[in-house]
Amino acid sequence: MKIGRILWPTVVILLAATPSSAAEAAGMAAVPGVGWALPFTALLLSVAVLPLAPLTKEWWEHNGSKLLVGLALGALVLAHYGTRGYGFEGHPPGLATVVAVVARVVLEDYLPFLVLLFSLYVIAGGLQLRGDLRARPATNTAILGLGAAMASLVGTTGASMVLIRPLLQTNQERKHVRHTVIFFIFLVSNIGGCLLPLGDPPLFLGYIKGVPFLWTTRLVLPWLFCVATLLAVYYLWDRRAYRSEAPADIARDEAETEPVRLLGSINLVWLLGIVLAVALLVPGRPLPGTGLVVVDFVREGVMLALVGLSLATTPRGLRKESEFSYGPIIEVACLFLGIFLTMTVPIEILQARGPALGLATPGHFFWASGGLSSFLDNAPTYVVFFEAARALGNPAGAGGLLLPGGGVVREDLLAAISLGAVFMGANTYIGNGPNLMVKAIAEGRGVRMPGFFGYMAYSALVLLPLFGLVWLLFLSGSGG
């Protein structure tokens, strides 16, 4: 089966959604018209085009500009919800629908997403691997491999923030560094984080919906295959790049070295606290060993308290020495507020028209969830396809996972959705939160990163063939 045939129904549903009036006349559930998905499209185009256009390049560099564009387009979406003739999730039309949408988007989706990323970013920012190794291909490959292993334990955000600065420091004498940062995003900011719910936000949302904390460890074989393949490709790529470096730069790199030391190790305790908070403090469920039910936002409150402890206990001056800045996480916060607001309409269309997509096999779910995760952010996309898989039930008798909230989801479909969402979040800068953070940090250190489409050229060349092999080796055997 060709990939295009798998993705085509998804494209059709986004471009040809039935307007609400026609849907009601046909006896179907009301669905937003296709025009109301344009604010989301416009925001994606803004992220792709405005940094490149001479007239807007400097203006777009300010986070306030990103927030302004996102809020303006989000306001258009809220205007749709406030003026349409039908409600939202049981709420009556009008102001009640607007309030319900804002509560869902901001309080239930965006805030937990941002608090988790913010907590991991700040706490990991208090850890500093100080040193300057020889920037040889084997050294860089080892750092990428370490980051891929760390990502599932401390999150893709945490691992990215701990390792991107020492990686850049190690390679500061070299001229050819862009490919190293790109593979870092592939491995550390995305693919490495698929083994635990803490590793990547989509798996965190799956855990909230009832997937057992250790269920994702069964994805170890495709994780190992992708990590090993990418490390091998990177090593060969970097060997060629290393031979292109000027002899004077290589000599300076060999001479200017410093042993590696870990500073701010108290933050390992606070990172462990984040792991425990994610594992144990699930709203609506009892705290293990007690009869106390965890209420909303307790988990987020604990995470923010751990951030406060990190700020109070990290050795003074350490963050300044490591050039820690809140800029990258603020950029993510500004961009993703607009993304979460404007993506509400496309997700509502998908939820209403999900059965029309004809998704039935692991291959379908892998490519559909992965394709949309590349552009819609992988966390909410995961949720949409998780619900689609749960709606299918377990009619064929395949292995099913009972969910605490009711229902069954086929484990082969859940594996496909998890792999698609986590792996293909690496396809674009906006597929996963850490991608933009790493890009911003690298550019702050003088690395000329590719633009939106330039980065996609790398992912198309390297990642898409790899994901095709994942599909053939690990998913097609179960009817994929």
Side-chain angles (χ1 to χ4, degrees):
M1 182 180 296
K2 296 181 179 180
I3 296 174
R5 292 181 60 189
I6 298 173
L7 292 179
W8 178 245
T10 304
V11 176
V12 170
I13 202 65
L14 287 174
L15 297 180
T18 306
S20 58
S21 58
E24 292 173 317
M28 298 182 291
V31 181
V34 65
W36 291 110
L38 292 179
F40 174 73
T41 305
L43 184 54
L44 294 186
L45 290 174
S46 297
V47 175
V49 174
L50 294 185
L52 303 177
L55 294 178
T56 58
K57 179 179 180 181
E58 184 175 348
W59 178 80
W60 183 255
E61 290 177 356
H62 300 285
N63 288 328
S65 303
K66 300 177 179 70
L67 180 62
L68 178 63
V69 171
L71 289 179
L73 294 171
L76 292 177
V77 171
L78 293 180
H80 158 70
Y81 282 106
T83 57
R84 72 187 193 179
Y86 55 100
F88 176 78
E89 296 184 346
H91 297 275
L95 181 61
T97 284
V98 174
V99 172
V101 170
V102 171
R104 160 61 67 84
V105 171
V106 176
L107 298 181
E108 297 183 27
D109 297 333
Y110 175 74
L111 187 61
F113 168 83
L114 185 61
V115 168
L116 177 62
L117 288 183
F118 175 78
S119 301
L120 291 171
Y121 177 81
V122 175
I123 295 174
L127 284 167
Q128 184 182 135
L129 276 175
R130 182 175 295 175
D132 186 357
L133 303 174
R134 293 182 175 89
R136 296 171 177 172
T139 303
N140 287 335
T141 303
I143 294 174
L144 295 182
L146 173 63
M150 286 176 56
S152 289
L153 299 175
V154 300
T156 53
T157 299
S160 296
M161 294 308 100
V162 169
L163 290 176
I164 185 58
R165 290 181 178 89
L167 180 67
L168 294 172
Q169 177 73 18
T170 291
N171 286 270
Q172 64 180 334
E173 295 87 6
R174 291 183 54 178
K175 296 294 191 296
H176 300 92
V177 183
R178 172 188 292 189
H179 67 285
T180 297
V181 179
I182 291 172
F183 273 84
F184 185 94
I185 293 175
F186 291 169
L187 281 158
V188 184
S189 301
N190 289 275
I191 291 172
C194 80
L195 297 183
L196 284 177
L198 189 69
D200 215 32
L203 306 182
F204 175 65
L205 295 180
Y207 171 65
I208 290 175
K209 289 185 170 293
V211 179
F213 188 78
L214 296 177
W215 183 89
T216 46
T217 57
R218 67 187 59 200
L219 304 177
V220 64
L221 289 181
W223 172 86
L224 184 61
F225 172 75
C226 283
V227 169
T229 302
L230 285 175
L231 289 176
V233 172
Y234 170 77
Y235 177 76
L236 296 176
W237 193 318
D238 199 43
R239 280 189 62 185
R240 181 176 181 180
Y242 190 75
R243 290 195 294 267
S244 301
E245 300 287 351
D249 292 334
I250 295 297
R252 191 158 55 94
D253 175 62
E254 295 287 336
E256 298 178 6
T257 62
E258 180 185 345
V260 174
R261 294 177 293 151
L262 178 63
L263 304 178
S265 57
I266 184 63
N267 287 287
L268 294 174
V269 177
W270 312 135
L271 283 174
L272 177 61
I274 296 292
V275 174
L276 295 176
V278 171
L280 303 178
L281 300 177
V282 182
R285 298 187 199 172
L287 185 66
T290 73
L292 300 175
V293 176
V294 179
V295 299
D296 292 341
F297 306 118
V298 166
R299 178 182 57 221
E300 286 71 32
V302 169
M303 289 182 184
L304 293 177
L306 291 168
V307 169
L309 289 170
S310 171
L311 293 173
T313 58
T314 299
R316 183 173 299 178
L318 185 60
R319 293 179 193 272
K320 184 177 181 179
E321 291 173 9
S322 64
E323 300 180 18
F324 175 84
S325 167
Y326 288 100
I329 191 66
I330 293 174
E331 179 179 4
V332 169
C334 292
L335 275 177
F336 277 87
L337 178 58
I339 289 173
F340 271 75
L341 283 170
T342 57
M343 72 166 50
T344 309
V345 169
I347 287 179
E348 190 177 7
I349 294 171
L350 283 171
Q351 288 173 328
R353 297 287 184 260
L357 295 176
L359 302 178
T361 70
H364 292 166
F365 278 90
F366 175 69
W367 289 110
S369 62
L372 289 180
S373 289
S374 302
F375 299 97
L376 269 70
D377 182 70
N378 55 7
T381 302
Y382 172 97
V383 174
V384 170
F385 288 99
F386 179 92
E387 296 297 340
R390 180 159 65 173
L392 290 178
N394 194 27
L401 179 67
L402 293 173
L403 301 172
V408 178
V409 61
R410 280 173 47 185
E411 294 191 70
D412 58 343
L413 300 184
L414 182 58
I417 296 166
S418 300
L419 293 173
V422 174
F423 286 4
M424 296 197 208
N427 283 341
T428 72
Y429 281 133
I430 61 172
N432 199 17
N435 301 1
L436 282 172
M437 297 183 200
V438 170
K439 175 179 180 288
I441 291 171
E443 289 176 334
R445 294 291 188 95
V447 179
R448 296 186 62 183
M449 294 296 292
F452 187 84
F453 294 112
Y455 175 88
M456 287 181 62
Y458 281 90
S459 64
L461 174 67
V462 177
L463 295 182
L464 290 185
L466 178 64
F467 297 151
L469 291 174
V470 170
W471 170 37
L472 292 173
L473 295 175
F474 300 103
L475 299 174
S476 61
S478 50

